Amino acid sequence: KRRRGGGAGEDGEEGQQERNEADGVVPSADSEGVLIVAPDICVARVTDSFLFLLLACDGLWDVMKNEEAVLFVLRRLQDFQQDVSNAGKEPPVKAIVKELVEYALDVKRSKDNVSVVLAVFAEDI
């Protein structure tokens, strides 16, 4: 007989996974192989004051603080914009993301996978 929240194992792992998947939570493993199913959730209204949105997996956040990653991106966007030869061009989002990932892996020595998504909203940084 199955108990509510139970599964094949004594601790109900299978049932918990089914509930998480039903709620749209996909488990992932940390560096020790322990499954993490509690996502960080933040709700914010995007306004004209938003310059960009930086989304990344824990491989980045394990080695960089929020402020450090934001400044990393902001400096590169500002450098791009200050170069007069770039007038009218789109910011090099792909290059900034690649540089951020390489920085996390090569300089900060992240031991996890590093995935980053950058959406730039503002035309003037």
Side-chain angles (χ1 to χ4, degrees):
K1 180 176 176 183
R2 265 186 131 167
R3 297 180 319 243
R4 177 169 157 66
E10 285 183 59
D11 59 359
E13 308 157 48
E14 184 179 300
Q16 180 64 45
Q17 182 174 354
E18 289 169 2
R19 284 191 309 282
N20 289 337
E21 289 171 355
D23 291 337
V25 177
V26 180
S28 62
D30 69 7
S31 61
E32 297 172 6
V34 178
L35 290 182
I36 306 298
V37 295
D40 289 333
I41 298 174
C42 177
V43 178
R45 184 177 308 273
V46 177
T47 66
D48 291 341
S49 67
F50 276 58
L51 302 176
F52 58 86
L53 173 67
L54 178 64
L55 301 173
C57 68
D58 62 337
L60 181 77
W61 305 125
D62 288 345
V63 296
M64 293 181 82
K65 293 184 179 188
N66 293 354
E67 296 80 11
E68 183 182 8
V70 166
L71 285 174
F72 186 99
V73 171
L74 186 59
R75 285 185 185 126
R76 279 143 188 86
L77 288 171
Q78 289 172 334
D79 289 348
F80 171 79
Q81 192 171 45
Q82 289 173 359
D83 184 342
V84 293
S85 68
N86 292 326
K89 294 181 183 177
E90 294 290 320
V93 174
K94 186 175 180 178
I96 293 171
V97 167
K98 182 178 180 191
E99 189 177 348
L100 180 58
V101 168
E102 289 173 350
Y103 181 78
L105 292 170
D106 299 338
V107 176
K108 294 295 217 166
R109 301 284 187 215
S110 179
K111 301 289 187 219
D112 203 348
N113 64 315
V114 178
S115 299
V116 175
V117 175
L118 175 62
V120 178
F121 301 124
E123 291 181 24
D124 294 322
I125 304 294

